[in-house]
Amino acid sequence: ADGLSFITCLKRGIISSSHSLSPSIKKPKPSLFSKASPIAFSTLNPTYDKPPEGIANLLEALPSGTLIDTAEKYETKDGDAEITLGAALRIFRKKREDEAPDLLLCSKFAPKPWRLSSDSVVEACQSSIERLGVNSLDLYQLHFSDAVSQPFKLFGYTDNKDEIYWEGLAKCYHEGLVKNIGVCNYGPQNIRKAHEFFSKMDVPLVSNQINFNLMRYRSSMETKQACDELGIQVSGYHPLGSGVLTGAYDEEWFSKIPGGLNKQKSKSTRVRWYQKNCAPIIDAVRDVADRRGKKTSHVAINWCICKGIIPICGARNTEQVLDALGGATDEKGSWRLSGSEVDELDAASDASAEFARGFELI
């Protein structure tokens, strides 16, 4: 026994039936995010011959307080993304010396059937820290609920180890390996249960990372409301709907898709479906962008910020980094959509099909 397992059978949180994203009780956000840039970045994977050098160039373009989101499970082999980012950080800091901006590092623990104890979380965290070349992490998260990692579920056997992993996250926090802990892909039921668990451990649960964008809005509302009530910051991946909201997939792009069965063909079929079934929101984003003199990507990102979300953007080059940052600032400084523009986009989102990629929020 590791000393924390006496906390079990926690009560389920009551899920509100309201669809409002403005609950009457809203706690202040955690201090980590009071100094964070409004836009975070992930998947810093430029197409260069030397990835660490390429990523170091991208880091140069980031403002102080930018959260860099990675995970042990990213890339083909576990740990590769952290190794590459760690090498890039060393190059970046050597070039900038004392002038390097303060970047916030976040990584994630992935539930696996053979990870059976809370100590497995601590060990994984220590490995992530070593690969990234830092003393501690600003934020360490459970990548997804263990409920989705059950290889024998079809045979009627499940062994959900979420509470064991929560104990591990608490250990990481109390041992000083991480400054903050969070979860990913948790819905209202799980986030309330986790919050109650961590409260008893005297560990603040500061974040929940979910799929959140104008094409994935309705199914995220209860989760956002629950997090607001608990004082948990929501960060959103796929803020651009995997590029569909940017208008990047035009006829020229489709004309370059090779024939036969391949990943690009599968992607093109999916994009066509979204273009047809999400036309109201795609058109609305373009209309608002035209009126404001902004790019469609800027409007989609800014809408997330207006909803209190920290959008997590991907970038393969410096141009894409700067383009994403334009979703929060321009030459005049910080900018935001008006309330009527947000309402217009909300209505168009409600009239569109939902973006299917990502985890079900339970």
Side-chain angles (χ1 to χ4, degrees), residues 147-301:
V148 304
S149 182
Q150 299 294 318
F152 302 110
K153 187 175 181 179
L154 291 175
F155 303 99
Y157 174 79
T158 59
D159 180 25
N160 191 328
K161 298 181 290 296
D162 275 351
E163 290 192 4
I164 291 174
Y165 297 149
W166 295 343
E167 292 173 6
L169 287 176
K171 284 185 176 182
C172 292
Y173 177 81
H174 286 303
E175 291 179 15
L177 295 173
V178 302
K179 298 173 184 175
N180 299 275
I181 62 101
V183 293
C184 303
N185 304 299
Y186 271 36
Q189 175 182 315
N190 281 334
I191 199 67
R192 292 181 189 280
K193 186 177 180 181
H195 182 268
E196 184 174 354
F197 182 99
F198 286 117
S199 294
K200 293 180 179 180
M201 287 287 90
D202 197 26
V203 177
L205 176 61
V206 305
S207 67
N208 184 20
Q209 183 181 132
I210 63 174
N211 186 347
F212 196 98
N213 59 63
L214 275 161
M215 293 162 54
R216 184 68 178 267
Y217 179 37
R218 294 185 301 277
S219 62
S220 302
M221 289 193 295
E222 280 191 331
T223 298
K224 176 64 167 59
Q225 182 183 48
C227 289
D228 281 347
E229 292 172 356
L230 298 170
I232 296 170
Q233 174 67 52
V234 176
S235 57
Y237 59 88
H238 291 321
L240 302 177
S242 289
V244 176
L245 290 168
T246 69
Y249 301 117
D250 54 17
E251 290 306 316
E252 181 181 357
W253 181 84
F254 282 105
S255 69
K256 297 178 181 179
I257 302 299
L261 296 175
N262 55 74
K263 289 184 177 180
Q264 283 292 90
K265 187 69 174 180
S266 176
K267 179 178 179 178
S268 68
T269 301
R270 186 171 65 249
V271 169
R272 284 287 195 198
W273 189 92
Y274 284 125
Q275 288 179 334
K276 176 183 177 181
N277 294 279
C278 299
I281 188 56
I282 294 172
D283 292 344
V285 169
R286 183 173 59 248
D287 291 344
V288 172
D290 289 344
R291 293 199 302 267
R292 291 293 297 261
K294 302 290 185 183
K295 292 185 176 181
T296 50
S297 58
H298 295 166
V299 170
I301 290 171

